[in-house]
Amino acid sequence: MTSRTPRDSRLRLVRNRPMATARRPAVNRGSRPAPRPPEGTPPPSELARQARAGLTGAVAIAHWAAAEHGAPGALSDEAAARATEALGVSEREVRTDWDRARLIGLIEHHAGTTRPGWRLQAWDRDDSAVLRGWVALLDAWSLACPAPETAEPTAVAEVVEAVPQLLSLLQLSAGPVPISTLLDMLRQRVAELRTERCEVPQEVTEDREHAEGAGDAGGTASADDAKDAEDAATLEGLLDWALDALSSVGALTVREEPQDGPEGPEGAGSAADDAKGDRREAELTALGNWAVWVKLEQICVAAQSPAGNIEQHAADMLRGCAGLTPGPARAEYRAWLAARPVGSAVVELIDAARGDDALLRGLAFEALRVVGAPAEPNVRAVVDESCLRPYALLWLAEHEGADPDEALDALTREEATWLWVDTAAAISDHGEGPLLVRHLESAVQGTVPALLAEVRAVGHPRTVQVLVALAAAHPDPALAKAVRRAAFQVHTGGA
């Protein structure tokens, strides 16, 4: 019997994003000339100047928070009163600017306190950082200006999902659009959404059944008419809310239609519009026009992808991006996000992360990094879900300003080990044997025996499969034998 020199060498500390190592080379998608913005679009420096001018209040509250050396994460009444006195504005303005500063990334929450975000440091010198911050605010318009408390949540969600189509119409029209036209498009889009859900309102169904039993067709028609009138009034009110919110963030303006006089064809048209009850029109600002154009361009780029990722659900989109390196993948994420409301996109990404595919879990959180601040509430909400907790904690640490190379400090030893196994499962399912062997270098444990002991204890559902695959791939017979023994112990429930 021969002796064997132990080969349990010390292992390097983990890289912060091991999922990147599991990706295959980028697909060659060819080059595309950089598109030029619409004629008349101001240069980026002027757009950034306009964005800064509209966000002076948010910048002021961010500087105030920085001077406070740790303002509370949630703006308390006492803190709001101090800010009101220091800045000379009303408490309502303070709270509005506070929320906007958070959405833009001028301030970040960390360990229960608020500190300056990196974007605040770059605000006066980096035009691109300013424009990205403003676009983040535009994406989160429904958070910056919440819907009326009396509004029905389903109707609000439908309007939020329909707004990108309204913005596209405004951008493509290259001029003012009557509010009545926007309302018609909103009604059509909401009807499409309800059809896609195969939704039949419960009240209508009950009314029809009652009428059929009683033979009262007239009563059914009256009930339907009343329901339609109620829906129309609801959508009209929510459209006003959406336009007010978009106007408040600087994306569009709403004004009365110009009139040439009460006589003649134009005067007759005005009288007809007055009969309909709304003579207003909306038009995108230069900033809004540029931002919507950028999103439409992103959609056009993604539409050229052979896989058609933009039209896919989140899980299929992530699978389509699995073969891309980080840069092209982020471009795909941006295009996919641009084609749908940010709120529903975030929910869809998190649902994809809950699935059985560990690769999609990692990619989903990479896409959520592209979303940024609007995704924070949803990410915080899943911190207690075991399969998502390590990813959510890393996301929050980076969002709060932690250096990506140090983000793993936010995880406990057990959480880091769980993440190591989950990443190994992704590599085992989608990568190659050498990748799995190199993944050993990303373990936080110092030695292989320590790693195996903690992997057995962490309770990941894929532990056995990961260890078996690692044993099959590793070239060191002694280490492979130890890994197989650990897999057998987990499988049989041994210590």
Side-chain angles (χ1 to χ4, degrees):
M1 184 173 180
T2 59
S3 62
R4 187 181 297 275
T5 302
R7 303 185 185 184
D8 299 330
S9 58
R10 301 288 294 182
L11 304 177
R12 294 203 302 268
L13 292 179
V14 67
R15 292 178 56 192
N16 73 299
R17 292 180 187 175
M19 291 300 299
T21 63
R23 297 181 186 164
R24 297 183 291 278
V27 177
N28 182 8
R29 301 178 59 183
S31 60
R32 179 178 185 262
R36 299 183 64 180
E39 185 177 356
T41 301
S45 58
E46 172 61 18
L47 292 171
R49 186 197 66 77
Q50 294 178 18
R52 289 187 180 99
L55 296 170
T56 53
V59 174
I61 195 73
H63 282 299
W64 173 83
E68 286 282 299
H69 301 294
L75 192 63
S76 65
D77 292 341
E78 180 184 354
R82 294 202 310 271
T84 297
E85 182 178 356
L87 300 175
V89 296
S90 68
E91 181 175 340
R92 180 179 180 181
E93 290 175 297
V94 164
R95 294 191 179 278
T96 298
D97 291 334
W98 180 270
D99 290 340
R100 291 188 177 188
R102 285 192 60 195
L103 293 171
I104 296 168
L106 296 174
I107 55 177
E108 298 170 344
H109 291 344
H110 183 71
T113 61
T114 298
R115 64 185 185 186
W118 70 268
R119 190 159 278 148
L120 181 63
Q121 313 300 325
W123 192 255
D124 294 327
R125 56 180 170 78
D126 189 340
D127 290 344
S128 63
V130 173
L131 292 175
R132 286 195 298 270
W134 187 86
V135 170
L137 179 62
L138 175 60
D139 288 340
W141 65 268
S142 60
L143 300 178
C145 185
E149 294 182 359
T150 56
E152 203 275 320
T154 301
V156 171
E158 290 170 342
V159 170
V160 171
E161 190 165 352
V163 159
Q165 281 78 6
L166 304 186
L167 292 175
S168 298
L169 173 64
L170 287 165
Q171 200 277 332
L172 295 172
S173 298
V177 175
I179 299 299
S180 57
T181 301
L182 295 177
L183 183 57
D184 287 342
M185 172 170 271
L186 178 61
R187 288 169 177 159
Q188 293 173 18
R189 181 57 183 150
V190 168
E192 291 172 358
L193 293 172
R194 292 174 179 174
T195 300
E196 291 170 2
R197 295 197 305 265
C198 300
E199 178 179 299
V200 179
Q202 183 179 358
E203 296 87 349
V204 173
T205 303
E206 292 175 350
D207 288 341
R208 286 176 178 168
E209 290 177 352
H210 181 271
E212 289 173 0
D216 186 4
T220 301
S222 299
D224 287 349
D225 291 343
K227 179 63 176 176
D228 290 343
E230 182 182 350
D231 283 346
T234 298
L235 288 180
E236 193 169 342
L238 289 176
L239 177 60
D240 285 340
W241 159 66
L243 293 175
D244 288 343
L246 292 166
S247 179
S248 73
V249 301
L252 55 77
T253 57
V254 178
R255 59 177 179 268
E256 292 290 329
E257 272 189 66
Q259 300 184 52
D260 291 341
E263 298 180 358
E266 293 187 2
S270 298
D273 287 338
D274 284 339
K276 293 179 181 178
D278 201 331
R279 288 191 39 78
R280 298 174 299 159
E281 59 185 16
E283 184 176 10
L284 292 176
T285 62
L287 267 172
N289 189 66
W290 167 80
V292 177
W293 170 79
V294 168
K295 291 182 179 296
L296 291 175
E297 279 298 313
Q298 291 172 343
I299 293 171
C300 291
V301 170
Q304 297 176 9
S305 170
N309 291 326
I310 192 173
E311 300 176 359
Q312 305 296 327
H313 292 295
D316 292 332
M317 180 275 294
L318 294 172
R319 290 189 187 95
C321 295
L324 303 177
T325 51
R330 281 192 293 271
E332 292 285 336
Y333 302 151
R334 292 190 189 99
W336 186 84
L337 291 165
R340 47 193 42 82
V342 65
S344 60
V346 169
V347 171
E348 200 172 330
L349 287 169
I350 289 179
D351 285 343
R354 291 191 177 101
D356 295 331
D357 194 331
L359 177 62
L360 297 193
R361 199 154 25 249
L363 295 178
F365 277 86
E366 290 293 332
L368 290 170
R369 287 181 173 89
V370 175
V371 176
E376 181 183 358
N378 299 77
V379 174
R380 289 193 183 279
V382 301
V383 164
D384 293 331
E385 296 185 29
S386 59
C387 69
L388 302 183
R389 180 175 176 80
Y391 295 96
L393 291 175
L394 288 178
W395 190 98
L396 291 169
E398 293 181 23
H399 178 66
E400 292 170 353
D403 189 299
D405 292 333
E406 300 175 358
L408 271 173
D409 294 342
L411 303 184
T412 65
R413 181 87 163 212
E414 181 180 359
E415 291 161 353
T417 302
W418 196 100
L419 180 62
W420 185 91
V421 178
D422 206 50
T423 305
I427 298 174
S428 174
D429 291 341
H430 302 277
E432 300 175 353
L435 278 177
L436 193 57
V437 173
R438 289 200 298 272
H439 183 56
L440 273 173
E441 299 176 355
S442 69
V444 296
Q445 289 77 13
T447 65
V448 171
L451 169 64
L452 295 178
E454 294 187 30
V455 164
R456 290 198 302 266
V458 80
H460 192 288
R462 295 290 303 279
T463 298
V464 173
Q465 294 94 322
V466 164
L467 292 178
V468 169
L470 179 60
H474 207 285
D476 186 326
L479 190 147
K481 181 179 180 180
V483 173
R484 279 194 299 272
R485 183 184 304 112
F488 178 77
Q489 290 171 341
V490 174
H491 179 65
T492 58

